[in-house]
Amino acid sequence: MQLEKIQHTLPKIPELVMQTLITAIDRGDVKVGQELPSERDLAEMLGVGRGSLRECLAILEFLGAIENRGNRKVVIRDADYIQRSISFVRVSNKPNIQEDFGEFRRINEVAIAGLASQRATEEDLAALAEAVRMLESNPDDYMNDLRFHDALAIASHNMMLAATIHLVNSMIADIRVRFFGRPDYQRRSQESHIAIYEAVRDRDEERAKREMDLHLKIVEDFARKYPDH
C-alpha cells in the first residue's frame, strides 16, 4: 500500500489525512474491500499522530466509508462517495442554512409521519412511546428529540428516508435544537411530539401529517421570534 506522508501545514491534520486517503482510494492504491493497516502502521506511514488519524477514521466510519471488521478497518466506499459525503457535511456548516433545513424537514418528515401511521409495527410504536417518555423525563437532553424523530423515520419503513433523516439530524443538531433551553418551547414541542405519536398509534395518516406540520411550524415560529438564537 502506498500513501504519501502528510506535510504539516494548513488545513488541519485530520483533513489532510482524509484527503490523502481519498487520493489513494481514487488512484487505486487503496481498493474498496481492502483492509487498512493498523492505526500504528498507518500513522507511521502518513507521518501523523494517532489522535489525528483516529479523528479522520471516525469521520469516515460515520459517513459509512469504512467499517470495523474485528480489529481492522475496511474501506467499503469509493472515493467519489466519500467526496460527496464530505461536501454534504461542509454544506451543513454554512451560514443561513436554516431555511433550507426547514424545507427539507417539511418535505420529508410530514411524509414520514404519514408512512409511519400506515406501517409502524408494535415494536416501532414501543420505540416511539419510549422516546416520548424520555422526552418527558429529561426534557433538557436534546438527544431525546433526535431519538424521537429517528424512531419515527424508522417506523416509516422507508430506509432511504430513515438513513437520510438520521444523517442530516446528526449533522445539523445545533440548528434543530437551538431553542431547547426555553421552557415555553420545550412545553409546546413536547405536546406536539405526543400528538404525533398518538396519531401514528391510532393509524390516522392525515392527522399524523397534520400534527407533524404543526410541529414544524412551532420551530418556525420560534425562529422568527428569536432570530439570534
Side-chain angles (χ1 to χ4, degrees), residues 50-100:
R50 292 178 70 173
S52 295
L53 175 63
R54 284 173 182 157
E55 185 176 338
C56 168
L57 294 177
I59 294 169
L60 288 173
E61 190 171 351
F62 173 75
L63 294 174
I66 63 175
E67 69 177 14
N68 284 315
R69 293 183 186 172
N71 295 323
R72 291 296 179 95
K73 296 186 184 298
V74 178
V75 177
I76 60 172
R77 297 288 186 175
D78 62 19
D80 183 63
Y81 172 91
I82 300 171
Q83 288 281 26
R84 289 175 185 274
S85 298
I86 292 169
S87 296
F88 186 76
V89 173
R90 287 175 177 151
V91 166
S92 74
N93 290 326
K94 288 185 177 179
N96 303 319
I97 196 175
Q98 288 89 340
E99 287 187 21
D100 288 351

